């Protein structure tokens, strides 16, 4: 069950939890920023790593 969903240009965050009691929009925005930042760091790290050929 999806109880909350936040969409941005970069990501969609869906919270699946039937016991979820609610969160402020600011909290969900911050969670989205953390997740997007993590993906960006991983992408940059992969792009900078030497290729194994």
């Amino acid at each position: 069950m999806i109880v909350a969903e936040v969409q941005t240009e970069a990501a969609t965050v869906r919270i699946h939890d039937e016991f979820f009691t609610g969160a402020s929009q600011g909290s969900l925005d911050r969670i989205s920023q953390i997740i997007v930042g993590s993906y960006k760091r991983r992408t940059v790290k992969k792009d900078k790593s030497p290729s194994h050929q």
Side-chain angles (χ1 to χ4, degrees):
M1 170 187 234
I2 297 173
V3 295
E5 179 175 292
V6 175
Q7 292 184 340
T8 67
E9 292 178 19
T12 300
V13 176
R14 292 185 184 104
I15 311 233
H16 301 262
D17 189 345
E18 59 190 12
F19 300 106
F20 181 74
T21 59
S24 70
Q25 184 65 36
S27 296
L28 294 174
D29 289 343
R30 182 66 185 136
I31 291 167
S32 177
Q33 289 174 352
I34 291 168
I35 293 168
V36 169
S38 174
Y39 283 118
K40 285 180 182 178
R41 285 190 298 276
R42 289 185 207 167
T43 302
V44 169
K45 194 178 224 181
K46 287 180 184 177
D47 290 345
K48 289 185 178 181
S49 66
S51 61
H52 299 282
Q53 296 179 349

